[in-house]
Amino acid sequence: MLLDLFGTMVNFHSVFFSTLNRVLIDHGLEDKAEDFKTRWQSFVFQGQSKGGFITVREDFINSLSSVLGGLGCKGDLDVYAEGVIDGMFKNLREAELFPEVPKVIAALEAAGLPWAIVSNVDEEDLQAIVTNQGLRPASAISSERVRSYKPDGAIFQAALDDLGLPASRVLHVGDSPVADVKGAIDAGIDVLWVNRRNEPFPDDLPPPGWDVPDLSGLPALLLRD
């Protein structure tokens, strides 16, 4: 089994939104919150499409600085963005797992099911989260390690190689319709979509095999006779 990290195992929302609110307040953008969020979301995780791979941290810093500049903010925006993003990732390293995750992982490990993490995150941040949460995946693949972001197939293939399993024997579990569902399907892997916000799945993407509100039913699905 392959597992996405943020939004699937780790609850990143409070960290992200506290960072977002800090930026809005610091620059007096409270009345432009939706415009800011739309612009920033359109920039992030584009590091692979800008002529050469850059890390997630670099991508977030560059995109935040660019969006603030586009909204007319003044000052040394690069330095400001670096400080904000460094703080965000420091807090993400300590972010909590969703409540059901420890029990689910324990059940899968007790049954001898090998699992790996595949995440669009930098290597040091991924390893810090794995250590801080006491996780024991058979493999943990970061986008930085393979210099590729989901939905690109390289990150999925690296996990399959580490597990020594073909795509036909693996299930990927993730929350992003594009990065996780489309990415895994394109790689020939069955997908379970974690739909914690009860949102409709996009009509223009290949649908997942399963749609669940959280991970609590995962052991029953995978370990059934």
Side-chain angles (χ1 to χ4, degrees):
M1 182 179 67
L2 309 183
L3 279 164
D4 169 55
L5 190 62
F6 296 112
T8 300
M9 300 179 70
V10 173
N11 187 354
F12 72 97
H13 294 101
S14 62
V15 173
F16 179 78
F17 285 113
S18 65
T19 301
L20 176 65
N21 288 334
R22 172 188 169 182
V23 173
L24 295 175
I25 292 170
D26 285 350
H27 294 276
L29 295 173
E30 294 96 324
D31 61 338
K32 298 181 180 178
E34 290 305 315
D35 186 22
F36 174 83
K37 286 190 288 186
T38 298
R39 291 187 187 212
W40 198 15
Q41 289 173 350
S42 70
F43 269 93
V44 295
F45 295 123
Q46 300 298 314
Q48 198 174 354
S49 63
K50 296 175 181 176
F53 180 86
I54 63 173
T55 64
V56 173
R57 194 176 294 252
E58 290 173 311
D59 190 32
F60 269 66
I61 291 170
N62 293 346
S63 62
L64 178 56
S65 177
S66 179
V67 169
L68 289 174
L71 290 170
C73 299
K74 305 299 182 183
D76 193 334
L77 298 179
D78 290 341
V79 171
Y80 173 81
E82 183 174 358
V84 168
I85 299 305
D86 282 349
M88 184 181 79
F89 277 99
K90 179 180 179 181
N91 291 332
L92 282 174
R93 290 185 178 197
E94 303 293 337
E96 295 182 351
L97 299 175
F98 286 104
E100 80 279 7
V101 171
K103 185 176 181 179
V104 168
I105 294 299
L108 297 177
E109 290 180 340
L113 185 76
W115 65 282
I117 294 172
V118 290
S119 179
N120 286 344
V121 70
D122 297 338
E123 183 69 16
E124 286 189 10
D125 293 313
L126 175 56
Q127 295 303 327
I129 292 168
V130 168
T131 298
N132 291 341
Q133 296 294 345
L135 300 171
R136 299 180 301 275
S139 179
I141 310 294
S142 69
S143 50
E144 184 179 18
R145 170 178 157 182
V146 297
R147 304 185 70 78
S148 170
Y149 289 100
K150 295 182 293 182
D152 185 76
I155 193 167
F156 295 102
Q157 188 59 52
L160 295 176
D161 291 344
D162 279 3
L163 292 178
L165 293 170
S168 60
R169 293 188 58 197
V170 174
L171 175 71
H172 177 63
V173 180
D175 71 308
S176 169
V178 175
D180 292 304
V181 177
K182 183 180 186 302
I185 289 175
D186 287 349
I189 302 171
D190 288 337
V191 190
L192 183 147
W193 181 43
V194 183
N195 183 14
R196 294 186 182 274
R197 298 186 178 186
N198 192 30
E199 298 175 337
F201 193 81
D203 292 334
D204 59 341
L205 294 177
W210 298 267
D211 176 343
V212 298
D214 56 46
L215 299 184
S216 57
L218 194 55
L221 173 66
L222 293 176
L223 304 177
R224 65 188 178 187
D225 294 333

